[in-house]
């Protein structure tokens, strides 16, 4: 057994290295996944550019990556239902199962969660951009027949969208605004349409993703790099993390409507037009990650043919990770950029 594997490690802002890290020990309940493909997420980009995301900062070298699919390479003695050679997508979240939030069913808010590739706790939870990854068997979800790994790996960001749409409440027939046409905003678009939203308007300051949003079925895709009027809506999803977009959501949502905050904002205090919330009884709710049930639902949606293909804009080998991160950060060129970790073909149906 190799004692080390190649990994993508963030040491500090703008200090990203492809280097060997120690191979992980396999416990009785664990599975070793030969990682085939990983999606670069907005949070990975924030660790790369700023050395942190939201209010979390890198304090020790952090293996990035939490959007992962691959092939089972080894299985612990106590693992049921998974075998060597199975194609799996990895749920990066391992809630404790016993804290107050877990016991209330809000496992995405677990007080003691381990989430792959996150600096939220110290020592950090190391991530999955590595050739081989050991996780609890319960975190491995079989890839449905006919689905490719390059699409299955969208399950993680898709779960974020599924959770966000759940936080919006009843959406059938409602008019919806999404601010931010990055991968999360786009996946919220797909889930909102799937759930029967009356209309979906999406905004961004870059033209290229707006063109894709129109193809995906947005009724309006509006460039807000210049001042632009937005239609009145009942539900808004803030998926850009920008203060200006938060303000736009507050203006667009009518009395009794709801704003779902999905994008992580700047650390600390962010202004919000409070009296609009008071006098219009508008609700502002946060939406953070997803539960295991939502992750499995997302895998099933992909297996049933939800078309995320237009969101995939490129793939780079592990050795070219710096190029991949540069491409992923160029919003005029890229939506979702993937890394490839092995010779397993991510485009082959399983
Ligand atoms: Zn992600
Ligand atoms: Zn918990």
């Amino acid at each position: 057994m190799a004692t080390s594997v190649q990994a993508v490690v963030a040491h500090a802002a703008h200090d990203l290295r492809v280097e060997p890290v120690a191979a992980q020990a396999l416990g009785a309940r664990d599975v070793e996944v030969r990682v085939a493909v990983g999606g670069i997420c907005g949070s990975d980009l924030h660790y790369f550019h700023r050395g942190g995301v939201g209010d979390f900062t890198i304090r020790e070298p952090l293996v990035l990556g939490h959007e992962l699919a691959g092939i089972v390479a080894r299985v612990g003695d106590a693992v049921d239902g998974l075998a060597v050679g199975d194609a799996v997508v990895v749920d990066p979240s391992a809630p404790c199962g016993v804290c107050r939030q877990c016991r209330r069913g809000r496992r995405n808010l677990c007080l003691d969660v381990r989430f792959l590739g996150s600096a939220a706790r110290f020592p950090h939870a190391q991530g999955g951009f590595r050739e081989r990854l050991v996780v609890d068997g319960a975190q491995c979800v079989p890839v449905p027949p006919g689905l490719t790994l390059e699409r299955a790996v969208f399950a993680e960001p898709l779960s974020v969208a599924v959770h966000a749409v759940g936080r919006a409440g009843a959406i059938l027939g409602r008019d919806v605004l999404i601010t931010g046409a990055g991968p999360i905003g786009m996946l919220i678009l797909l889930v909102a349409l799937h759930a029967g939203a009356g209309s979906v308007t999406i905004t961004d300051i870059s033209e290229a993703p707006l063109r894709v949003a129109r193809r995906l079925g947005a009724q309006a895709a509006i460039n807000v790099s210049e001042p632009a009027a937005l239609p009145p809506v009942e539900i808004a999803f803030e998926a850009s993390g920008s203060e200006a977009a938060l303000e736009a959501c507050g203006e667009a949502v009518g009395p009794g409507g709801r704003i779902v905050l999905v994008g992580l904002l700047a650390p600390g205090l962010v202004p919000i037009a409070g009296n609009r919330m008071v006098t219009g009884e508008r609700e502002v709710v946060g939406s953070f990650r997803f539960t295991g049930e939502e992750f499995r639902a997302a895998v099933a949606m992909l297996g049933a043919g939800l078309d995320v293909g237009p969101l995939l804009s490129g793939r780079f080998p592990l050795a070219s990770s710096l190029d991949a991160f540069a491409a992923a950060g160029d919003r005029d060129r890229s939506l979702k950029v993937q890394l490839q970790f092995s010779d397993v073909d991510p485009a082959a149906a399983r």
Side-chain angles (χ1 to χ4, degrees):
M1 212 73 260
T3 55
S4 71
V5 296
Q6 292 292 113
V8 181
V9 188
H11 287 255
H14 293 287
D15 183 0
L16 189 71
R17 308 178 199 170
V18 177
E19 61 187 11
V21 298
Q24 298 160 303
L26 186 79
R29 300 164 56 89
D30 292 338
V31 165
E32 184 182 67
V33 178
R34 189 171 165 228
V35 179
V37 64
I40 298 177
C41 182
S43 62
D44 298 314
L45 284 171
H46 282 296
Y47 284 123
F48 172 53
H49 287 290
R50 293 203 289 108
V53 58
D55 294 337
F56 314 140
T57 304
I58 294 180
R59 292 153 66 195
E60 62 176 341
L62 176 67
V63 178
L64 297 180
H66 58 269
E67 301 179 6
L68 308 155
I71 306 293
V72 172
R74 286 196 296 158
V75 176
D77 292 337
V79 174
D80 275 336
L82 290 167
V84 171
D86 285 355
V88 292
V89 54
V90 177
D91 178 347
S93 188
C96 75
V98 296
C99 75
R100 206 166 57 244
Q101 297 296 346
C102 282
R103 280 187 277 119
R104 287 177 181 165
R106 299 188 75 172
R107 290 180 168 229
N108 61 311
L109 303 181
C110 172
L111 303 171
D112 194 26
V113 68
R114 300 191 63 84
F115 193 93
L116 291 179
S118 166
R121 60 189 294 155
F122 189 84
H124 300 336
Q126 299 294 323
F129 284 169
R130 45 190 298 145
E131 291 170 306
R132 285 166 187 266
L133 169 71
V134 171
V135 286
D136 193 299
Q139 290 175 256
C140 293
V141 180
V143 172
L147 190 63
T148 61
L149 291 175
E150 69 181 5
R151 289 193 177 216
V153 75
F154 276 89
E156 197 276 342
L158 180 60
S159 320
V160 173
V162 167
H163 186 73
V165 171
R167 294 286 288 157
I171 198 168
L172 189 71
R174 304 275 164 95
D175 295 319
V176 170
L177 170 68
I178 301 164
T179 53
I184 295 294
M186 296 290 211
L187 290 165
I188 292 172
L189 165 67
L190 287 177
V191 176
L193 291 172
H194 193 260
S199 73
V200 182
T201 299
I202 190 164
T203 65
D204 203 277
I205 54 173
S206 178
E207 194 54 39
L210 292 171
R211 279 196 294 273
V212 178
R214 289 183 198 107
R215 269 175 65 200
L216 291 177
Q219 276 76 13
I222 301 175
N223 192 326
V224 289
S225 56
E226 306 283 329
L230 300 181
V233 295
E234 294 155 286
I235 297 167
F237 296 93
E238 202 310 285
S240 72
S242 116
E243 279 179 26
L246 176 58
E247 171 61 10
C249 289
E251 283 177 11
V253 167
R258 186 176 286 190
I259 302 168
V260 182
L261 303 184
V262 191
L264 281 169
L265 295 150
L269 295 180
V270 168
I272 188 161
N275 284 339
R276 238 189 243 134
M277 312 308 152
V278 177
T279 61
E281 295 194 350
R282 294 167 178 86
E283 296 171 277
V284 178
V285 302
S287 182
F288 189 57
R289 295 178 181 163
F290 46 83
T291 64
E293 290 74 22
E294 287 163 335
F295 188 87
R296 283 169 190 269
V299 174
M301 288 168 79
L302 292 164
L306 186 80
D307 188 10
V308 295
L311 302 185
L312 176 55
S313 39
R315 183 157 48 236
F316 294 73
L318 171 60
S320 305
S321 291
L322 281 165
D323 295 334
F325 272 70
D330 180 353
R331 304 208 52 242
D332 291 327
R333 217 152 45 97
S334 302
L335 274 159
K336 180 60 76 179
V337 173
Q338 296 182 342
L339 290 171
Q340 186 169 344
F341 294 87
S342 72
D343 56 5
V344 175
D345 180 5
R350 310 310 305 182

